[in-house]
Amino acid sequence: MSVSKEEETVTFVESIPHGSIFFDIGANCGAYSLIGGKLGLRVFSFEPHGPTFQHLVMNIDINTLHGHVKAFSFALSDHDGGVAMKYSSDDPGAALHEMTHTGVATHDCYRLDSLVTMGLVPAPAYMKIDSDGHEGPILAGAEQALKTVIEIQLEVDDDSPDDVMLIYGLCRAAGLFEKISTRHGATSI
């Protein structure tokens, strides 16, 4: 996967101090996770799409980053349980998948706060979230974890004002404020 279309994400990951805990939520095939792992970050990657998750794990193996990158194949959301997924494609690396509230639960999902409380992951210091419109529910399930975050990079769909308000409200409540904003089509980072 080329990282050239999101140079600001590369810059963000490269700016994280060595040894820091970095959560890559919506990791896809792991381009940013791999950069973080190579730079000595403790990376926790989340990618629920099965074919893409397989490529993420393969990329971790090929780059011998087992000691730095840990991958999870479940979704993060605002509740623990299951979530229905509507896939744009079964191809590895595909994007624009949707979590729906109707249909059969096809994936396990967890609140990030639950994972930290259970001791499955440490509290994050840095986060990148690119989940194609599901950023708000992910943050809603991470209210406590957000209090440990030093910096977060989010992709926000400006066409969803309610989501934007939810995202900004949760970030502000955790003491996080906008530092830089860039635009990619209908979304801003």
Side-chain angles (χ1 to χ4, degrees):
M1 174 184 170
S2 171
V3 294
S4 62
K5 71 177 186 171
E6 290 188 23
E7 292 175 20
E8 64 278 339
T9 303
V10 174
T11 301
F12 169 68
V13 175
E14 290 176 340
S15 74
I16 299 172
H18 180 84
S20 296
I21 298 170
F22 170 54
F23 280 30
D24 186 357
I25 302 171
N28 203 287
C29 292
Y32 307 112
S33 294
L34 298 175
I35 292 169
K38 290 282 187 184
L39 293 173
L41 305 181
R42 291 180 54 205
V43 182
F44 296 83
S45 304
F46 299 87
E47 178 52 56
H49 182 244
T52 302
F53 178 77
Q54 290 174 354
H55 274 257
L56 170 62
V57 171
M58 180 182 67
N59 286 333
I60 294 167
D61 288 342
I62 290 169
N63 288 278
T64 60
L65 288 171
H66 296 100
H68 293 281
V69 182
K70 184 168 183 173
F72 299 92
S73 64
F74 47 76
L76 295 177
S77 194
D78 56 1
H79 67 283
D80 296 326
V83 66
M85 298 287 291
K86 180 180 175 185
Y87 293 115
S88 64
S89 168
D90 287 331
D91 294 335
L96 303 176
H97 308 303
E98 293 179 49
M99 290 186 185
T100 65
H101 295 287
T102 60
V104 177
T106 57
H107 282 285
D108 290 335
C109 74
Y110 296 94
R111 297 173 69 248
L112 185 54
D113 285 342
S114 298
L115 298 176
V116 173
T117 299
M118 290 186 287
L120 293 175
V121 297
Y126 296 86
M127 295 172 61
K128 180 216 64 135
I129 305 176
D130 181 356
S131 60
D132 297 329
H134 198 68
E135 291 80 7
I138 290 170
L139 292 173
E143 287 183 87
Q144 294 304 310
L146 278 175
K147 294 176 182 176
T148 67
V149 171
I150 297 165
E151 195 169 345
I152 185 171
Q153 182 183 24
L154 293 160
E155 187 167 295
V156 179
D157 184 352
D158 294 340
D159 290 336
S160 302
D162 290 341
D163 287 343
V164 171
M165 294 305 295
L166 173 65
I167 290 166
Y168 278 89
L170 290 165
C171 287
R172 286 185 186 119
L176 298 166
F177 297 91
E178 187 172 359
K179 181 176 168 182
I180 299 170
S181 178
T182 59
R183 178 152 300 288
H184 289 285
T187 62
S188 62
I189 294 178

